[in-house]
Amino acid sequence: MDADSVFYTDRSGKVTSNPLLDQLPSYQSLLYRRKSSLTGTKRRSSSRGRAGSHGSGKWTLSFFNRHNEKHKNQLEQKPTRELAQTMAEKRRDKALRLQEVAELSSWTQWRQSTHRYLRRLLDGVHEWLTALQLWRGDIHLIEGMFGTGILSYFSFLRFLVMLNLIIFTLMFSFVLLPIIIAPHASGNITYNLNYSSNCSIYPSSARRGLVIFHEHITDLLSGGGFLEQTYLFYGYYKVDKIHFPRTTYNLPLAYLLVTVAYLFLSLIWIVKRSATGFKRNLIQDEDRFQSFCNKIFAGWDFCITNGNAAKLKRSSLLYELRTDLEEERIKQKIADRTRKEKCRIYLIRFILNLFVIAVLAGCFYCIYVATILSQEAQRKEVKENFIVDLIHEYLPSIVITLANFITPLVFSVIINFEDYSPAFEIRFTLIRCVFMRLTSIGVLLFSLWTQITKCDSFKCGYNHELYPCWETRVGQEMYKLTIFDFIIIVAVTIFVEFPRKLIVKYCHCGLAKWWGQQEFAIPQNVLEIVYGQTICWIGAFHSPMLPAICTIKYFFIFYIKKVSLIKNCRPATRPFRASSSNFFFLGVLLIGLSLACVPVIVSVAQINCSRACGPFVNYTTSWEVLPTAISQLPSGVQTLFFTISSEAFAVSFFVVTCLAMFYVIALAGAHKRVIKQLREQLVMEGRDKHFLIQKLCQAQKISAVASPGSRSQRRSSRSSPSYHTSFSNNFPEGLFLAHSPPDSFTNV
């Protein structure tokens, strides 16, 4: 819309107050706000309002001028081939740009050409990196068949593959690689060998004599036997220092710093990826009417190319609309509740939450008992048959898997009686499932730690008779959880989803139709991989090769889930939008990382290190290696580190952090207020457009009634790019609308 497209003049040609602008809803709202702010001075505010009509017009014109200038600058910065114009317009634009460049100095021309070359180079590098992206074609195929909601799950899976690959690269580069290259680089390795006490005795778990084949399978699945004292677990790394010709490599310090580094890197990467989703959720519109408009006019996913997926997308949009209407009905129902009904529903929720707590407590107790029984069975010297031994090895994993399978079913039944809105039902059930899955790992570790720290004499600081290398035992439990989780995913795909697809496809009985095809539930699948990633974060300290195993595991899971989605499953009837799913995935992953940090910190700083294995044999706890390394630095560096670790610095840092946090909170509040004002302006613009269209229709009706030759005038006005309309009955002067009608009239 041009700045001079709407104006009002008197007979002398002087611009005066515009009656049409005075009637706009936005201007009337502005007058109302002025009157309410200037109480007691109604006459002055009214006169200012009338005199300020022309001022409001000027403000509107200046706003459009600024908007047009900004838009013009953005277009000038874009390459000509990216402009949404015809070829003739692009050629004209390119000629104008070349003419402008010719008038510039040689230095300015060189700077612009260099900037243009660097921009093209960066674009080329970005396109090349995008072409090298993992599973690019597969993800585009999934996006085209099932839309962006399911696409977000596979993108999240790709992110975890890259994250685990980087964690393994850190572990391999700073822990494994120095040990491997030391013999080939004239390195002298110093081992932690201390046999002065019984605490340093670490008997070998390798099988002797004739080994049966199934025993190798047991060792491979449990991490014991020939795998226990390999690169896979903590106990193998008995190196203290590696003396190269020019430097000395401190392996215990590197082991600890790599652990801190992969946790910190994971935190930074997750927060960075979730920032976009958090901003989107922060400014998410709470107005239900605008939500309806977005779903109706902008809810379709144009990435879908499959007919069945299009039908499912249509049904999901209908489901979202029904859900929103149901939420409005429940809100109205909540507002109309009496005190008696509120007491009744709160009592029901209280009783049901007590039942949920009882279910969780029962599951945690079963995990605790299963862990104790598994540890006692593994300590027996006389082994039973292969199947019983394998069940004893995997008893905690089996109980955790059963609990993770049963509790979501119980929670989905209970939530129906708590009378929540449909959207809150989904979120609350997922929160309960997340708590169950992630806390079960903590219960398992707590059960192990009670056995590790349970000893009659505190000579070694831990139960060295049962656990000579307790870090390796914890690593073995995390290894078994990882392997068993992968086995369950493969087994469910092959023995549950595939037969169900065959039954539904080829059996035409009523039970098969009622059972239906397996749904690809995005939240449940995400909880599976977040559960596995939490295990990886916890176990990477006790099993440095576990990130590599998780990378391979997620690599195969991608193809398993892809085949299962295309061949066996269908998208869920309850939709999960990509805009909110990415933030939900990373939020749950951040919760898993927070919970994973707790056992790692306890293992590093609280429990005494094993005296028979690992790089921290010479230290009481793993954290002691850091102060020891700092004490060997120059005095100036020591002073710097001691200052950073002092209470004064901690208090100062805490104060500065609080001030920064308050500033960010205030900034976020200001942004939310601005967003609210912009939304109100959008609503006012819609009302203004509606008002102007009504006036335009009235003017056309009046002109058609007033002049008998209106048809010929209308035809001539259609052939010309501008038209003239007069309001002889409504206004004292004429209103001229120059140029063609504004595009905003057609975009209401």
Side-chain angles (χ1 to χ4, degrees), residues 590-651:
L590 193 60
I591 295 173
L593 177 61
S594 303
L595 294 177
C597 289
V598 175
V600 173
I601 292 172
V602 171
S603 300
V604 168
Q606 188 68 28
I607 305 178
N608 289 1
C609 299
S610 297
R611 299 299 178 86
C613 65
F616 303 103
V617 170
N618 299 326
Y619 305 95
T620 305
T621 60
S622 303
W623 185 256
E624 284 188 2
V625 67
L626 191 60
T628 304
I630 292 176
S631 63
Q632 298 174 359
L633 296 174
S635 58
V637 181
Q638 290 185 33
T639 304
L640 176 63
F641 279 108
F642 289 145
T643 303
I644 293 175
S645 61
S646 63
E647 296 179 356
F649 181 83
V651 172

Side-chain angles (χ1 to χ4, degrees), residues 8 60 106 239 393 418 477-478 529 564 682 686:
Y8 175 73
T60 306
S106 58
V239 177
E393 290 281 353
E418 293 181 298
E477 293 298 329
M478 299 297 106
I529 59 177
S564 177
L682 286 175

Side-chain angles (χ1 to χ4, degrees), residues 305-428:
T305 57
N306 184 270
N308 294 328
K311 293 179 181 178
L312 289 169
K313 181 62 179 179
R314 178 178 175 275
S315 62
S316 68
L317 285 174
L318 290 175
Y319 170 79
E320 287 188 18
L321 292 172
R322 292 194 192 101
T323 302
D324 291 340
L325 293 173
E326 182 68 15
E327 287 183 0
E328 289 296 315
R329 186 190 66 80
I330 290 177
K331 285 181 180 179
Q332 186 64 34
K333 181 181 175 182
I334 292 173
D336 296 339
R337 276 177 186 165
T338 61
R339 184 174 298 177
K340 183 179 179 181
E341 291 176 344
K342 289 181 180 179
C343 294
R344 182 182 62 83
I345 193 64
Y346 290 152
L347 180 62
I348 292 174
R349 290 176 182 175
F350 177 74
I351 295 172
L352 291 177
N353 279 287
L354 288 179
F355 179 73
V356 169
I357 293 172
V359 170
L360 292 175
C363 293
F364 295 155
Y365 179 74
C366 292
I367 295 170
Y368 177 81
V369 173
T371 305
I372 301 299
L373 292 177
S374 176
Q375 298 299 312
E376 291 178 355
Q378 293 178 39
R379 289 196 296 266
K380 291 181 180 179
E381 296 182 359
V382 180
K383 299 293 183 180
E384 301 180 18
N385 58 57
F386 167 68
I387 301 298
V388 175
D389 293 343
L390 200 60
I391 290 175
H392 285 157
E393 290 281 353
Y394 277 90
L395 189 59
S397 302
I398 293 171
V399 174
I400 290 174
T401 303
L402 289 175
N404 292 335
F405 176 74
I406 295 172
T407 50
L409 300 178
V410 176
F411 295 156
S412 62
V413 173
I414 289 174
I415 200 69
N416 294 324
F417 300 96
E418 293 181 298
D419 200 12
Y420 292 117
S421 64
F424 187 77
E425 283 183 2
I426 297 174
R427 290 195 294 266
F428 198 41

Side-chain angles (χ1 to χ4, degrees), residues 433-501:
C433 295
V434 168
F435 181 78
M436 175 62 212
R437 280 185 174 270
L438 300 183
T439 312
S440 60
I441 306 173
V443 174
L444 172 64
L445 293 173
F446 174 77
S447 306
L448 285 173
W449 286 337
T450 55
Q451 297 292 311
I452 292 169
T453 58
K454 182 181 179 181
C455 56
D456 297 331
S457 61
F458 291 90
K459 183 178 180 181
C460 301
Y462 62 97
N463 194 344
H464 67 283
E465 295 179 358
L466 300 179
Y467 302 97
C469 186
W470 65 265
E471 291 93 346
T472 296
R473 180 58 63 87
V474 175
Q476 288 173 346
E477 293 298 329
M478 299 297 106
Y479 172 82
K480 286 187 285 188
L481 285 175
T482 302
I483 298 298
F484 191 74
D485 182 55
F486 180 70
I487 292 173
I488 290 298
I489 292 174
V490 176
V492 168
T493 303
I494 296 175
F495 300 110
V496 177
E497 295 177 356
F498 181 66
R500 182 174 177 176
K501 170 67 181 298

